């Protein structure tokens, strides 16, 4: 039986075999569980922004409460806070509402909610009906926060 070299195959080096095996065994690069990439926008106040992709995940916010829909999914609020940290939206402030067991956004970039205006979140142009930490988002979603009367 002829050898592989006799049949025209190129000789393999040990380094080449190690590299091929490493590439074959490596898992594809993926985000951590619960990690998603979304687009975030802010409108309605004097400040308007639309930022690139934001990687967000469930986490504790404002030094207090864990923000995760169903305990495992990122939310419109985690996306907003992460967008502020990555792109510098000018600051996000929120207060904990014990009645709803969720945060209420009170200010973004100096544009404050008031008795006549409040910050509302939209996911894929649909206004959320649960609180911002009780609404799950997924990769590819568009999250928009709007100051509305």
């Amino acid at each position: 039986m002829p050898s592989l070299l006799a049949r025209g195959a190129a000789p393999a080096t040990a380094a080449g075999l190690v590299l091929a095996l490493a590439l074959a065994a490596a898992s594809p690069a993926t985000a951590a569980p619960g990690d998603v990439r979304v687009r975030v926008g802010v409108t309605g106040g004097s400040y308007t922004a639309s930022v690139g992709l934001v990687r967000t995940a469930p986490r504790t916010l404002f030094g207090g409460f864990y923000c995760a829909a169903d305990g495992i999914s990122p939310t419109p609020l985690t996306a907003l806070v992460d967008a502020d940290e990555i792109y510098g939206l000018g600051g996000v402030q929120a207060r904990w509402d014990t009645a709803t067991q969720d945060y209420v956004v009170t200010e973004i970039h100096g544009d404050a909610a008031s008795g006549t205006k409040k910050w509302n979140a939209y996911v894929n142009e649909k206004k959320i009906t649960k609180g911002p930490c009780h609404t799950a988002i997924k990769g590819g979603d568009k999250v928009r926060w709007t100051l509305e009367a």
Side-chain angles (χ1 to χ4, degrees):
M1 172 178 202
S3 74
L4 288 176
L5 291 176
R7 287 192 269 163
T13 64
L17 286 175
V18 169
L19 178 61
L21 290 172
L23 291 174
S27 60
T30 58
D35 236 13
V36 300
R37 291 178 188 261
V38 298
R39 296 201 179 275
V40 177
V42 176
T43 62
S46 58
Y47 176 76
T48 298
S50 181
V51 300
L53 288 175
V54 173
R55 185 173 26 194
T56 190
R59 65 187 182 115
T60 300
L61 296 177
F62 307 108
F65 298 93
Y66 190 67
C67 186
D70 304 320
I72 57 170
S73 298
T75 70
L77 187 54
T78 61
L80 176 65
V81 171
D82 288 332
D84 181 45
E85 290 175 0
I86 295 166
Y87 295 101
L89 300 181
V92 174
Q93 294 182 18
R95 67 174 171 76
W96 182 255
D97 183 2
T98 55
T100 62
Q101 292 292 294
D102 209 335
Y103 284 102
V104 175
V105 174
T106 58
E107 188 175 306
I108 301 172
H109 191 73
D111 291 328
S114 66
T116 58
K117 294 182 188 176
K118 70 178 198 170
W119 283 103
N120 291 309
Y122 292 78
V123 176
N124 299 323
E125 298 307 319
K126 184 176 178 186
K127 188 175 181 179
I128 66 171
T129 57
K130 301 178 190 175
C133 286
H134 289 105
T135 302
I137 59 174
K138 61 187 182 319
D141 281 350
K142 293 179 183 174
V143 176
R144 179 172 48 93
W145 284 86
T146 301
L147 186 60
E148 298 174 316

